[in-house]
Short mmCIF file of all heavy atoms in Angstrom, two decimals:
data_model
loop_
_atom_site.label_atom_id
_atom_site.label_comp_id
_atom_site.label_asym_id
_atom_site.label_seq_id
_atom_site.Cartn_x
_atom_site.Cartn_y
_atom_site.Cartn_z
N MET V 70 -5.41 34.82 -19.54
CA MET V 70 -5.98 35.93 -18.81
C MET V 70 -5.08 37.15 -19.00
O MET V 70 -3.87 37.06 -18.88
CB MET V 70 -6.08 35.60 -17.33
CG MET V 70 -6.59 36.74 -16.52
SD MET V 70 -6.70 36.44 -14.75
CE MET V 70 -7.54 34.90 -14.68
N LYS V 71 -5.72 38.27 -19.30
CA LYS V 71 -4.97 39.51 -19.50
C LYS V 71 -4.74 40.18 -18.15
O LYS V 71 -5.57 40.12 -17.26
CB LYS V 71 -5.73 40.44 -20.43
CG LYS V 71 -5.83 39.89 -21.83
CD LYS V 71 -6.52 40.85 -22.75
CE LYS V 71 -6.60 40.17 -24.12
NZ LYS V 71 -7.24 40.99 -25.10
N ILE V 72 -3.58 40.81 -18.03
CA ILE V 72 -3.21 41.54 -16.82
C ILE V 72 -3.16 43.02 -17.16
O ILE V 72 -2.48 43.42 -18.10
CB ILE V 72 -1.86 41.06 -16.26
CG1 ILE V 72 -1.94 39.58 -15.92
CG2 ILE V 72 -1.46 41.90 -15.05
CD1 ILE V 72 -0.61 38.97 -15.51
N LEU V 73 -3.91 43.82 -16.41
CA LEU V 73 -3.94 45.27 -16.59
C LEU V 73 -3.37 45.93 -15.35
O LEU V 73 -3.68 45.54 -14.23
CB LEU V 73 -5.37 45.74 -16.83
CG LEU V 73 -6.11 45.08 -17.99
CD1 LEU V 73 -7.57 45.49 -18.00
CD2 LEU V 73 -5.45 45.45 -19.30
N THR V 74 -2.54 46.95 -15.54
CA THR V 74 -1.93 47.67 -14.43
C THR V 74 -2.74 48.92 -14.13
O THR V 74 -3.11 49.67 -15.05
CB THR V 74 -0.49 48.05 -14.77
OG1 THR V 74 0.23 46.85 -15.09
CG2 THR V 74 0.19 48.74 -13.60
N VAL V 75 -3.04 49.13 -12.86
CA VAL V 75 -3.79 50.31 -12.42
C VAL V 75 -3.01 51.02 -11.33
O VAL V 75 -2.27 50.39 -10.58
CB VAL V 75 -5.19 49.92 -11.88
CG1 VAL V 75 -6.02 49.28 -12.97
CG2 VAL V 75 -5.11 48.99 -10.70
N PRO V 76 -3.15 52.35 -11.24
CA PRO V 76 -2.50 53.07 -10.14
C PRO V 76 -3.27 52.81 -8.84
O PRO V 76 -4.50 52.73 -8.85
CB PRO V 76 -2.60 54.53 -10.56
CG PRO V 76 -3.78 54.58 -11.47
CD PRO V 76 -3.85 53.24 -12.15
N GLY V 77 -2.57 52.62 -7.77
CA GLY V 77 -3.23 52.43 -6.47
C GLY V 77 -3.80 51.05 -6.27
O GLY V 77 -3.38 50.08 -6.90
N ASP V 78 -4.80 50.96 -5.41
CA ASP V 78 -5.42 49.70 -5.01
C ASP V 78 -6.39 49.20 -6.08
O ASP V 78 -7.39 49.85 -6.36
CB ASP V 78 -6.17 49.91 -3.69
CG ASP V 78 -6.77 48.63 -3.14
OD1 ASP V 78 -6.65 47.57 -3.77
OD2 ASP V 78 -7.37 48.69 -2.05
N PRO V 79 -6.15 48.03 -6.66
CA PRO V 79 -7.03 47.52 -7.72
C PRO V 79 -8.39 47.03 -7.21
O PRO V 79 -9.31 46.85 -7.99
CB PRO V 79 -6.22 46.37 -8.33
CG PRO V 79 -5.34 45.91 -7.23
CD PRO V 79 -5.01 47.14 -6.44
N HIS V 80 -8.53 46.83 -5.91
CA HIS V 80 -9.79 46.31 -5.35
C HIS V 80 -10.95 47.29 -5.50
O HIS V 80 -12.10 46.88 -5.56
CB HIS V 80 -9.60 45.93 -3.88
CG HIS V 80 -8.68 44.77 -3.70
ND1 HIS V 80 -7.32 44.93 -3.55
CD2 HIS V 80 -8.91 43.44 -3.68
CE1 HIS V 80 -6.76 43.74 -3.43
NE2 HIS V 80 -7.70 42.81 -3.51
N GLY V 81 -10.68 48.57 -5.57
CA GLY V 81 -11.73 49.57 -5.67
C GLY V 81 -12.05 50.01 -7.09
O GLY V 81 -12.88 50.88 -7.30
N VAL V 82 -11.40 49.40 -8.09
CA VAL V 82 -11.60 49.82 -9.48
C VAL V 82 -12.91 49.25 -10.02
O VAL V 82 -13.13 48.04 -9.99
CB VAL V 82 -10.41 49.36 -10.35
CG1 VAL V 82 -10.66 49.67 -11.81
CG2 VAL V 82 -9.13 50.02 -9.89
N ASN V 83 -13.80 50.12 -10.50
CA ASN V 83 -15.07 49.71 -11.09
C ASN V 83 -15.06 49.78 -12.61
O ASN V 83 -15.89 49.17 -13.27
CB ASN V 83 -16.21 50.57 -10.56
CG ASN V 83 -16.44 50.33 -9.08
OD1 ASN V 83 -16.38 49.21 -8.62
ND2 ASN V 83 -16.67 51.40 -8.36
N ALA V 84 -14.12 50.56 -13.16
CA ALA V 84 -13.99 50.70 -14.61
C ALA V 84 -12.57 51.16 -14.93
O ALA V 84 -11.90 51.77 -14.10
CB ALA V 84 -15.00 51.71 -15.14
N ILE V 85 -12.13 50.83 -16.15
CA ILE V 85 -10.79 51.24 -16.59
C ILE V 85 -10.83 51.47 -18.09
O ILE V 85 -11.57 50.80 -18.82
CB ILE V 85 -9.74 50.17 -16.22
CG1 ILE V 85 -8.32 50.64 -16.53
CG2 ILE V 85 -10.03 48.85 -16.90
CD1 ILE V 85 -7.24 49.71 -16.03
N MET V 86 -10.05 52.44 -18.55
CA MET V 86 -9.94 52.74 -19.98
C MET V 86 -8.73 51.98 -20.53
O MET V 86 -7.67 52.00 -19.91
CB MET V 86 -9.75 54.23 -20.19
CG MET V 86 -10.83 55.08 -19.59
SD MET V 86 -12.34 55.03 -20.49
CE MET V 86 -12.10 56.41 -21.54
N VAL V 87 -8.93 51.34 -21.68
CA VAL V 87 -7.85 50.60 -22.34
C VAL V 87 -7.86 50.93 -23.83
O VAL V 87 -8.87 51.37 -24.37
CB VAL V 87 -7.98 49.08 -22.12
CG1 VAL V 87 -7.83 48.72 -20.66
CG2 VAL V 87 -9.28 48.55 -22.68
N SER V 88 -6.77 50.65 -24.48
CA SER V 88 -6.65 50.90 -25.92
C SER V 88 -7.51 49.92 -26.71
O SER V 88 -7.66 48.76 -26.34
CB SER V 88 -5.18 50.73 -26.33
OG SER V 88 -5.06 50.79 -27.73
N LYS V 89 -8.06 50.41 -27.82
CA LYS V 89 -8.87 49.55 -28.68
C LYS V 89 -8.02 48.54 -29.45
O LYS V 89 -8.57 47.68 -30.13
CB LYS V 89 -9.68 50.39 -29.66
CG LYS V 89 -10.92 50.97 -29.06
CD LYS V 89 -11.79 51.60 -30.15
CE LYS V 89 -13.07 52.13 -29.57
NZ LYS V 89 -13.90 52.78 -30.59
N THR V 90 -6.70 48.64 -29.35
CA THR V 90 -5.85 47.68 -30.04
C THR V 90 -5.94 46.30 -29.39
O THR V 90 -5.58 45.31 -30.00
CB THR V 90 -4.38 48.14 -30.06
OG1 THR V 90 -3.93 48.32 -28.72
CG2 THR V 90 -4.23 49.44 -30.84
N GLU V 91 -6.42 46.26 -28.16
CA GLU V 91 -6.63 44.98 -27.46
C GLU V 91 -8.10 44.59 -27.57
O GLU V 91 -8.98 45.43 -27.59
CB GLU V 91 -6.23 45.10 -26.00
CG GLU V 91 -4.76 45.37 -25.80
CD GLU V 91 -4.37 45.25 -24.35
OE1 GLU V 91 -4.53 44.16 -23.78
OE2 GLU V 91 -3.94 46.26 -23.80
N GLU V 92 -8.36 43.29 -27.61
CA GLU V 92 -9.73 42.79 -27.73
C GLU V 92 -10.23 42.30 -26.38
O GLU V 92 -9.56 41.52 -25.69
CB GLU V 92 -9.75 41.63 -28.73
CG GLU V 92 -11.13 41.17 -29.07
CD GLU V 92 -11.13 40.14 -30.17
OE1 GLU V 92 -10.27 40.21 -31.06
OE2 GLU V 92 -11.99 39.25 -30.13
N PHE V 93 -11.40 42.79 -25.99
CA PHE V 93 -12.05 42.39 -24.74
C PHE V 93 -13.50 42.06 -25.03
O PHE V 93 -14.09 42.61 -25.96
CB PHE V 93 -11.98 43.51 -23.70
CG PHE V 93 -10.59 43.82 -23.24
CD1 PHE V 93 -9.84 44.80 -23.86
CD2 PHE V 93 -10.03 43.13 -22.19
CE1 PHE V 93 -8.57 45.10 -23.44
CE2 PHE V 93 -8.75 43.41 -21.76
CZ PHE V 93 -8.01 44.39 -22.38
N HIS V 94 -14.08 41.18 -24.24
CA HIS V 94 -15.46 40.78 -24.41
C HIS V 94 -16.18 40.82 -23.06
O HIS V 94 -15.54 40.61 -22.02
CB HIS V 94 -15.57 39.36 -24.98
CG HIS V 94 -14.87 39.20 -26.28
ND1 HIS V 94 -15.41 39.63 -27.47
CD2 HIS V 94 -13.66 38.67 -26.59
CE1 HIS V 94 -14.57 39.37 -28.44
NE2 HIS V 94 -13.50 38.80 -27.94
N ASP V 95 -17.49 41.04 -23.09
CA ASP V 95 -18.28 40.95 -21.87
C ASP V 95 -18.04 39.59 -21.23
O ASP V 95 -17.94 38.58 -21.93
CB ASP V 95 -19.77 41.09 -22.19
CG ASP V 95 -20.13 42.47 -22.72
OD1 ASP V 95 -19.27 43.36 -22.74
OD2 ASP V 95 -21.29 42.65 -23.13
N HIS V 96 -17.93 39.56 -19.93
CA HIS V 96 -17.78 38.37 -19.11
C HIS V 96 -16.39 37.76 -19.13
O HIS V 96 -16.17 36.72 -18.50
CB HIS V 96 -18.85 37.31 -19.44
CG HIS V 96 -20.23 37.87 -19.44
ND1 HIS V 96 -20.82 38.36 -18.29
CD2 HIS V 96 -21.11 38.08 -20.43
CE1 HIS V 96 -22.03 38.82 -18.60
NE2 HIS V 96 -22.23 38.67 -19.89
N ASP V 97 -15.42 38.38 -19.85
CA ASP V 97 -14.03 37.93 -19.73
C ASP V 97 -13.54 38.23 -18.32
O ASP V 97 -14.00 39.18 -17.68
CB ASP V 97 -13.11 38.68 -20.70
CG ASP V 97 -13.21 38.22 -22.14
OD1 ASP V 97 -13.88 37.20 -22.40
OD2 ASP V 97 -12.61 38.89 -23.01
N VAL V 98 -12.60 37.45 -17.85
CA VAL V 98 -11.98 37.71 -16.55
C VAL V 98 -10.59 38.27 -16.81
O VAL V 98 -9.82 37.73 -17.61
CB VAL V 98 -11.90 36.42 -15.70
CG1 VAL V 98 -11.15 36.69 -14.40
CG2 VAL V 98 -13.29 35.89 -15.41
N VAL V 99 -10.26 39.38 -16.14
CA VAL V 99 -8.95 39.99 -16.25
C VAL V 99 -8.36 40.14 -14.84
O VAL V 99 -9.09 40.16 -13.85
CB VAL V 99 -9.00 41.38 -16.94
CG1 VAL V 99 -9.47 41.26 -18.37
CG2 VAL V 99 -9.86 42.36 -16.19
N ARG V 100 -7.05 40.25 -14.78
CA ARG V 100 -6.37 40.49 -13.51
C ARG V 100 -5.95 41.95 -13.48
O ARG V 100 -5.30 42.43 -14.40
CB ARG V 100 -5.16 39.59 -13.35
CG ARG V 100 -4.43 39.81 -12.02
CD ARG V 100 -3.21 38.91 -11.90
NE ARG V 100 -3.62 37.53 -11.99
CZ ARG V 100 -3.81 36.71 -10.95
NH1 ARG V 100 -3.63 37.17 -9.73
NH2 ARG V 100 -4.15 35.46 -11.14
N LEU V 101 -6.36 42.66 -12.44
CA LEU V 101 -5.94 44.04 -12.22
C LEU V 101 -4.82 44.02 -11.20
O LEU V 101 -4.97 43.46 -10.12
CB LEU V 101 -7.11 44.88 -11.71
CG LEU V 101 -8.35 44.94 -12.59
CD1 LEU V 101 -9.43 45.77 -11.92
CD2 LEU V 101 -8.02 45.50 -13.95
N SER V 102 -3.70 44.61 -11.57
CA SER V 102 -2.52 44.61 -10.70
C SER V 102 -2.13 46.05 -10.40
O SER V 102 -2.17 46.91 -11.28
CB SER V 102 -1.37 43.89 -11.40
OG SER V 102 -0.23 43.88 -10.61
N SER V 103 -1.75 46.32 -9.15
CA SER V 103 -1.29 47.66 -8.79
C SER V 103 0.03 47.95 -9.48
O SER V 103 0.78 47.04 -9.82
CB SER V 103 -1.15 47.80 -7.27
OG SER V 103 -0.18 46.91 -6.79
N ALA V 104 0.31 49.22 -9.72
CA ALA V 104 1.52 49.63 -10.43
C ALA V 104 2.79 49.13 -9.75
O ALA V 104 3.76 48.79 -10.42
CB ALA V 104 1.55 51.14 -10.58
N ASP V 105 2.75 49.02 -8.43
CA ASP V 105 3.95 48.55 -7.72
C ASP V 105 3.97 47.02 -7.58
O ASP V 105 4.91 46.45 -7.05
CB ASP V 105 4.07 49.20 -6.35
CG ASP V 105 2.94 48.85 -5.39
OD1 ASP V 105 2.08 48.03 -5.75
OD2 ASP V 105 2.93 49.40 -4.28
N GLY V 106 2.94 46.36 -8.06
CA GLY V 106 2.90 44.90 -8.06
C GLY V 106 2.57 44.27 -6.71
O GLY V 106 2.60 43.05 -6.57
N SER V 107 2.21 45.08 -5.72
CA SER V 107 1.98 44.55 -4.38
C SER V 107 0.58 43.96 -4.21
O SER V 107 0.36 43.18 -3.29
CB SER V 107 2.23 45.62 -3.33
OG SER V 107 1.26 46.64 -3.44
N GLN V 108 -0.38 44.35 -5.07
CA GLN V 108 -1.76 43.89 -4.93
C GLN V 108 -2.32 43.52 -6.30
O GLN V 108 -1.96 44.13 -7.31
CB GLN V 108 -2.64 44.98 -4.33
CG GLN V 108 -2.22 45.43 -2.96
CD GLN V 108 -3.12 46.54 -2.47
OE1 GLN V 108 -4.28 46.64 -2.84
NE2 GLN V 108 -2.59 47.40 -1.62
N SER V 109 -3.19 42.54 -6.32
CA SER V 109 -3.89 42.20 -7.55
C SER V 109 -5.24 41.58 -7.22
O SER V 109 -5.45 41.09 -6.11
CB SER V 109 -3.06 41.26 -8.42
OG SER V 109 -2.93 40.00 -7.79
N VAL V 110 -6.14 41.63 -8.19
CA VAL V 110 -7.47 41.08 -8.02
C VAL V 110 -7.97 40.65 -9.39
O VAL V 110 -7.64 41.26 -10.40
CB VAL V 110 -8.43 42.11 -7.36
CG1 VAL V 110 -8.64 43.31 -8.23
CG2 VAL V 110 -9.75 41.48 -7.00
N GLU V 111 -8.74 39.56 -9.44
CA GLU V 111 -9.37 39.14 -10.68
C GLU V 111 -10.77 39.70 -10.72
O GLU V 111 -11.51 39.63 -9.73
CB GLU V 111 -9.40 37.61 -10.78
CG GLU V 111 -8.04 37.02 -10.99
CD GLU V 111 -8.07 35.51 -11.16
OE1 GLU V 111 -9.16 34.93 -11.29
OE2 GLU V 111 -6.99 34.92 -11.15
N ARG V 112 -11.13 40.29 -11.86
CA ARG V 112 -12.46 40.90 -12.01
C ARG V 112 -13.08 40.41 -13.31
O ARG V 112 -12.39 40.24 -14.31
CB ARG V 112 -12.35 42.42 -12.06
CG ARG V 112 -11.73 43.09 -10.85
CD ARG V 112 -12.57 43.03 -9.60
NE ARG V 112 -13.84 43.66 -9.68
CZ ARG V 112 -14.10 44.92 -9.37
NH1 ARG V 112 -13.13 45.70 -8.95
NH2 ARG V 112 -15.31 45.40 -9.46
N ARG V 113 -14.39 40.24 -13.32
CA ARG V 113 -15.13 39.85 -14.51
C ARG V 113 -15.69 41.11 -15.17
O ARG V 113 -16.28 41.96 -14.51
CB ARG V 113 -16.29 38.91 -14.16
CG ARG V 113 -17.05 38.42 -15.38
CD ARG V 113 -18.08 37.38 -15.03
NE ARG V 113 -17.53 36.27 -14.28
CZ ARG V 113 -16.91 35.20 -14.81
NH1 ARG V 113 -16.76 35.12 -16.10
NH2 ARG V 113 -16.46 34.24 -14.04
N ILE V 114 -15.47 41.24 -16.49
CA ILE V 114 -15.97 42.38 -17.23
C ILE V 114 -17.49 42.27 -17.36
O ILE V 114 -18.01 41.26 -17.82
CB ILE V 114 -15.34 42.46 -18.63
CG1 ILE V 114 -13.82 42.65 -18.51
CG2 ILE V 114 -15.95 43.60 -19.45
CD1 ILE V 114 -13.09 42.52 -19.83
N PHE V 115 -18.18 43.29 -16.92
CA PHE V 115 -19.63 43.35 -17.03
C PHE V 115 -20.03 43.87 -18.41
O PHE V 115 -20.93 43.35 -19.05
CB PHE V 115 -20.20 44.27 -15.95
CG PHE V 115 -21.65 44.57 -16.10
CD1 PHE V 115 -22.60 43.59 -15.91
CD2 PHE V 115 -22.08 45.84 -16.45
CE1 PHE V 115 -23.96 43.87 -16.06
CE2 PHE V 115 -23.42 46.13 -16.59
CZ PHE V 115 -24.36 45.14 -16.40
N ARG V 116 -19.31 44.91 -18.87
CA ARG V 116 -19.67 45.54 -20.14
C ARG V 116 -18.43 46.20 -20.73
O ARG V 116 -17.62 46.76 -20.01
CB ARG V 116 -20.74 46.59 -19.89
CG ARG V 116 -21.29 47.24 -21.10
CD ARG V 116 -22.35 48.26 -20.75
NE ARG V 116 -22.90 47.99 -19.43
CZ ARG V 116 -23.92 48.62 -18.91
NH1 ARG V 116 -24.52 49.56 -19.55
NH2 ARG V 116 -24.37 48.32 -17.71
N VAL V 117 -18.32 46.16 -22.06
CA VAL V 117 -17.28 46.87 -22.80
C VAL V 117 -17.97 48.00 -23.56
O VAL V 117 -18.88 47.75 -24.35
CB VAL V 117 -16.53 45.94 -23.78
CG1 VAL V 117 -15.47 46.72 -24.54
CG2 VAL V 117 -15.92 44.75 -23.05
N VAL V 118 -17.57 49.25 -23.29
CA VAL V 118 -18.22 50.43 -23.87
C VAL V 118 -17.22 51.20 -24.73
O VAL V 118 -16.06 51.38 -24.32
CB VAL V 118 -18.75 51.35 -22.75
CG1 VAL V 118 -19.40 52.60 -23.32
CG2 VAL V 118 -19.72 50.59 -21.85
N ASP V 119 -17.65 51.68 -25.88
CA ASP V 119 -16.81 52.52 -26.73
C ASP V 119 -16.66 53.88 -26.04
O ASP V 119 -17.64 54.60 -25.84
CB ASP V 119 -17.46 52.69 -28.10
CG ASP V 119 -16.59 53.45 -29.08
OD1 ASP V 119 -15.59 54.08 -28.66
OD2 ASP V 119 -16.90 53.43 -30.28
N ALA V 120 -15.44 54.21 -25.66
CA ALA V 120 -15.18 55.45 -24.94
C ALA V 120 -14.62 56.54 -25.85
O ALA V 120 -14.21 57.60 -25.38
CB ALA V 120 -14.23 55.19 -23.78
N GLY V 121 -14.58 56.30 -27.16
CA GLY V 121 -14.03 57.29 -28.09
C GLY V 121 -12.52 57.35 -28.02
O GLY V 121 -11.88 56.67 -27.21
N GLU V 122 -11.94 58.15 -28.91
CA GLU V 122 -10.49 58.35 -28.93
C GLU V 122 -9.71 57.03 -28.87
O GLU V 122 -8.72 56.92 -28.14
CB GLU V 122 -10.04 59.29 -27.82
CG GLU V 122 -10.64 60.67 -27.92
CD GLU V 122 -10.11 61.61 -26.86
OE1 GLU V 122 -9.00 61.38 -26.35
OE2 GLU V 122 -10.81 62.58 -26.55
N ASP V 123 -10.17 56.03 -29.61
CA ASP V 123 -9.51 54.73 -29.68
C ASP V 123 -9.37 54.05 -28.32
O ASP V 123 -8.36 53.39 -28.03
CB ASP V 123 -8.13 54.86 -30.34
CG ASP V 123 -8.25 55.31 -31.78
OD1 ASP V 123 -9.23 54.94 -32.44
OD2 ASP V 123 -7.35 56.03 -32.25
N LYS V 124 -10.37 54.21 -27.46
CA LYS V 124 -10.36 53.60 -26.13
C LYS V 124 -11.62 52.79 -25.89
O LYS V 124 -12.70 53.12 -26.39
CB LYS V 124 -10.26 54.67 -25.03
CG LYS V 124 -9.04 55.53 -25.08
CD LYS V 124 -7.89 54.85 -24.44
CE LYS V 124 -6.70 55.80 -24.38
NZ LYS V 124 -5.52 55.14 -23.90
N TRP V 125 -11.48 51.73 -25.12
CA TRP V 125 -12.62 50.97 -24.58
C TRP V 125 -12.70 51.31 -23.10
O TRP V 125 -11.67 51.50 -22.44
CB TRP V 125 -12.39 49.46 -24.67
CG TRP V 125 -12.37 48.87 -26.02
CD1 TRP V 125 -11.32 48.18 -26.58
CD2 TRP V 125 -13.40 48.82 -27.00
NE1 TRP V 125 -11.64 47.73 -27.82
CE2 TRP V 125 -12.93 48.11 -28.11
CE3 TRP V 125 -14.69 49.34 -27.04
CZ2 TRP V 125 -13.70 47.90 -29.24
CZ3 TRP V 125 -15.45 49.12 -28.18
CH2 TRP V 125 -14.96 48.42 -29.26
N GLU V 126 -13.89 51.36 -22.58
CA GLU V 126 -14.08 51.42 -21.13
C GLU V 126 -14.56 50.05 -20.69
O GLU V 126 -15.60 49.58 -21.13
CB GLU V 126 -15.10 52.49 -20.73
CG GLU V 126 -15.27 52.52 -19.21
CD GLU V 126 -16.31 53.54 -18.77
OE1 GLU V 126 -17.30 53.75 -19.48
OE2 GLU V 126 -16.11 54.11 -17.69
N LEU V 127 -13.78 49.40 -19.83
CA LEU V 127 -14.17 48.10 -19.29
C LEU V 127 -14.86 48.36 -17.96
O LEU V 127 -14.28 48.97 -17.06
CB LEU V 127 -12.95 47.22 -19.07
CG LEU V 127 -12.02 47.01 -20.27
CD1 LEU V 127 -10.88 46.10 -19.87
CD2 LEU V 127 -12.78 46.46 -21.47
N GLN V 128 -16.10 47.93 -17.84
CA GLN V 128 -16.86 48.10 -16.60
C GLN V 128 -16.94 46.74 -15.93
O GLN V 128 -17.23 45.74 -16.59
CB GLN V 128 -18.25 48.65 -16.89
CG GLN V 128 -18.21 50.01 -17.54
CD GLN V 128 -19.56 50.52 -17.95
OE1 GLN V 128 -20.57 49.82 -17.87
NE2 GLN V 128 -19.60 51.77 -18.39
N PHE V 129 -16.69 46.70 -14.63
CA PHE V 129 -16.62 45.44 -13.89
C PHE V 129 -17.85 45.21 -13.01
O PHE V 129 -18.50 46.16 -12.58
CB PHE V 129 -15.35 45.40 -13.04
CG PHE V 129 -14.11 45.56 -13.85
CD1 PHE V 129 -13.40 46.73 -13.82
CD2 PHE V 129 -13.67 44.54 -14.67
CE1 PHE V 129 -12.25 46.89 -14.58
CE2 PHE V 129 -12.54 44.68 -15.43
CZ PHE V 129 -11.82 45.87 -15.40
N GLU V 130 -18.14 43.95 -12.76
CA GLU V 130 -19.26 43.56 -11.89
C GLU V 130 -18.98 43.97 -10.47
O GLU V 130 -17.89 44.09 -10.04
CB GLU V 130 -19.46 42.04 -11.94
CG GLU V 130 -19.90 41.56 -13.29
CD GLU V 130 -20.10 40.05 -13.35
OE1 GLU V 130 -19.55 39.31 -12.50
OE2 GLU V 130 -20.81 39.62 -14.25
#
């Protein structure tokens, strides 16, 4: 399982931009962790969208 760091509370994150150098697939489960490490949540990827500029947008259920 991949761990992604987000600023603030990861529970409210509906989408995140990531580098295209990493591989993600629809329905993968990732762990979102707050930058300070105090909170984390597992989320299932609903859709992976090409966001341009060598980025993927991961949209969560």
Side-chain angles (χ1 to χ4, degrees):
M70 177 182 311
K71 294 183 182 180
I72 300 173
L73 304 172
T74 302
V75 297
D78 184 359
H80 293 90
V82 174
N83 294 319
I85 186 173
M86 303 286 268
V87 296
S88 172
K89 280 189 177 178
T90 58
E91 295 190 61
E92 188 173 327
F93 294 92
H94 302 281
D95 294 353
H96 310 295
D97 283 352
V98 176
V99 296
R100 180 180 301 261
L101 302 178
S102 179
S103 62
D105 64 4
S107 67
Q108 299 178 28
S109 67
V110 64
E111 290 183 10
R112 301 291 299 269
R113 183 173 307 276
I114 298 171
F115 171 69
R116 185 180 338 187
V117 179
V118 178
D119 185 347
E122 299 184 24
D123 296 326
K124 300 278 186 186
W125 292 121
E126 180 182 34
L127 306 181
Q128 298 175 353
F129 301 107
E130 294 180 340

